[in-house]
Amino acid sequence: MSIKRALVSVSDKTGIVEFCRELSQLGVEIISTGGTKNLLAQEGVPVIGISDVTGFPEIMDGRVKTLHPAVHSGLLAVRDNEEHTRQMKELGLDYIDLVVVNLYPFQETIAKPDVAYEDAIENIDIGGPTMLRSAAKNHAFVSVVVDSGDYGKVIEEVRAEGDTTLDTRKKLAAKVFRHTASYDALIADYLAKQTGDPLPERYTVTYEKIQDLRYGENPHQAAAFYRAPLAPAGTLTTAEQLHGKELSYNNINDANAALQIVKEFSEPAVVAVKHMNPCGVGVGSTIAEAYNKAYSADPVSIFGGIVAANRTIDAETAQPLSEIFLEIVLAPDFTPEALEILTKKKNIRLLKMGELTSAEGRASVHVVTSIEGGMVVQESDVHSLSEADLKVVTKRQPTEDELKQLLFGWKVVKHVKSNAIVLAADNMTVGVGAGQMNRVGSAKIALEQAGDKTQGAILASDAFFPMGDTVELAAKHGIKAIIQPGGSIKDEESIQAADEAGIAMIFTGVRHFKH
């Protein structure tokens, strides 16, 4: 066997002229369509039009050109099947040994913010995937290339042996089916959103690999980092790493947790995260002040953590950041002076995020969690609370400052693993209790961490109090205001405990479980 005829039809023409010129020099006859044919002819590469093969013109603005028996019999014929061979000869058909196709730019089209529905539909390729699937199915005899990165290997093998190896054809075919599956998944997702069916009967998603990771959560687990095709700016998948070694699996998860919290704030804010829970959150008039508060919230736990800021890191902020061990600092940008300070630390990873969209401006996305044998899918929690949503249920009203701290604490507790309790004062967290099996247990951890900072602080709880014990414990430590969803059958018990202690308590009507 040898490659004698190739069918070439590409939207992305990267490297195609050079590839086809080499094929032609190796004696391969090239068939092509539309713009690809015109380009090859202009560049002096011998080329045959698809209509000369099919005996039928390209019609309907090019919608129908390769959907023809003269094409697909040449791709699908089993070369060692006598009946197939007889039919090919009787009908005067020729084999096609190599297919080089990439598809209409559907992803690039729908990525345009003002794309019209009609334009998106017009960029759904039909003939391309059909040729790819035919050739990939018959990879025992046909080579198929969908990625320009494979041109070099194909040329190398054809030059050496006249054909690709079976092992190469298998790998190329597998890549084709991954590519067409991804292409169709993107179309399915787009149409599901257009028709208002975000959680359809079949859930198809596609991601592209950014990089292999050294290992997963633990060294014995393999892992890789993938990006959604239309990943928005201001996410880890679009971040620019300015300094430091590669991100690890745990780095990525922790950094994402920090990023989601810092996006809750429109004012200058800094978040420190360890093991996907915030250990310190601060808000200030400057990013330096915000960092000082985040650091002061828990100067022990921040060691070896991830720090996220929603403003450019300047020299005033970079200096204290450089004085402790941190895995990652991520921010919209870094001043040259800040980079000079921070890059003196060899291993710190610096991520430039670009502009960050605060919680109020974010659309919900799907959160996919794998379970054995399947997965569960939900919308992301982008709910934002306003003062109009609040219901004061106690005799005492919160003061203006308490209300400000309550809303601050509520933004943070939303991102703490349940059961979650956050204590806050002076625009910073002073205690965080996370992931305990009962709510009063989380409260005890947060109160112990805060120490004497509990006096006059507020308490935020991600879900309702099942009984009054958490309020009673908070009262003993000088907590002055509480924010919680409400909705327990024993709400009155908590309200009564708050009234007896002179605590102001607000119900939000919304819970923020995070598992």
Side-chain angles (χ1 to χ4, degrees), residues 322-335:
S322 72
E323 293 169 2
I324 62 172
F325 168 60
L326 295 170
E327 291 278 0
I328 299 172
V329 177
L330 60 90
D333 206 348
F334 298 78
T335 67

Side-chain angles (χ1 to χ4, degrees), residues 265 267-270 280-286 288-297 399-409 412 422-431 450 452-459 479-481:
F265 300 95
E267 61 270 56
V270 170
V281 180
V283 166
S285 58
T286 67
E289 181 187 359
Y291 171 70
N292 288 335
K293 289 185 175 183
Y295 173 81
S296 299
T399 67
E400 184 177 343
D401 181 66
E402 286 171 348
L403 183 59
K404 182 179 179 181
Q405 302 308 312
L406 288 166
L407 292 173
F408 170 87
V412 178
V422 167
L423 309 181
D426 191 26
N427 299 320
M428 59 184 280
T429 55
V430 295
D452 57 11
K453 293 178 182 177
T454 61
Q455 296 300 316
I458 66 92
L459 182 150
I479 298 296
K480 290 300 181 184

Side-chain angles (χ1 to χ4, degrees), residues 63 103-106 109 118-127 129 183-184 187 190-191:
R63 282 190 169 205
L103 308 178
Y104 291 174
F106 182 79
T109 300
E118 293 75 15
D119 289 339
I121 297 304
E122 196 59 34
N123 275 279
I124 297 175
D125 202 330
I126 302 300
Y183 193 79
D184 284 341
I187 295 169
Y190 174 78
L191 291 175

